[in-house]
Amino acid sequence: MKVRYLLAMTVALSVSVSAIAADNKAQTLFKEGNCNNCHNLTDTTVGPSLIEIADKYRGDSGAQEKLEKKVRNGGSGSWGVIPMPGTRQSISDEDIKILVAWILEQKAKPKVEEKTVAKPDKKTK
């Protein structure tokens, strides 16, 4: 029983570590590729936010391939008139796959509703 538990924990931790490593690599590629000059996680700047991109393509089975081409070659018209330049040739196709997969995984954090505190009634009789 203890061996099964230990094995399950080892597998879970190794999956978590590899997911974190891929996330860190994607964030590094995002910065090194200068994507952050025009894109932001949550806010529209020169280009759309990563969450807007992920939301637009969520459920689209061809999104990964479409966006890989767009990131590699650049493009315009999808989000406005400002064209997106293509990626430097020094960035590999495999790195672009990692970056696009990471972008498509982005989701807005749920908004936390502020609790209102009821004020006591100060009426005097």
Side-chain angles (χ1 to χ4, degrees), residues 2 13 17 19 22 25 55 63 65 67 91 99-100 107 113 120 125:
K2 289 181 182 179
L13 287 173
V17 168
K25 176 157 177 100
D55 286 347
E65 186 179 341
L67 291 177
I91 296 178
L99 180 62
V100 169
K107 294 180 182 165
E113 292 183 29
K125 294 184 181 181

Side-chain angles (χ1 to χ4, degrees), residues 59-79:
D60 181 345
S61 61
Q64 178 78 28
E65 186 179 341
K66 287 180 209 172
L67 291 177
E68 286 174 21
K69 288 178 184 174
K70 177 97 49 168
V71 169
R72 171 59 73 200
N73 302 318
S76 64
S78 297
W79 296 93

Side-chain angles (χ1 to χ4, degrees), residues 11-44:
V11 169
L13 287 173
S14 60
V15 169
S16 296
V17 168
S18 62
I20 291 169
D23 191 57
N24 288 342
K25 176 157 177 100
Q27 289 180 22
T28 300
L29 290 168
F30 183 73
K31 291 175 186 164
E32 288 177 355
N34 296 322
C35 305
N36 60 335
N37 288 344
C38 298
H39 299 281
N40 182 293
L41 178 63
T42 58
D43 300 318
T44 299

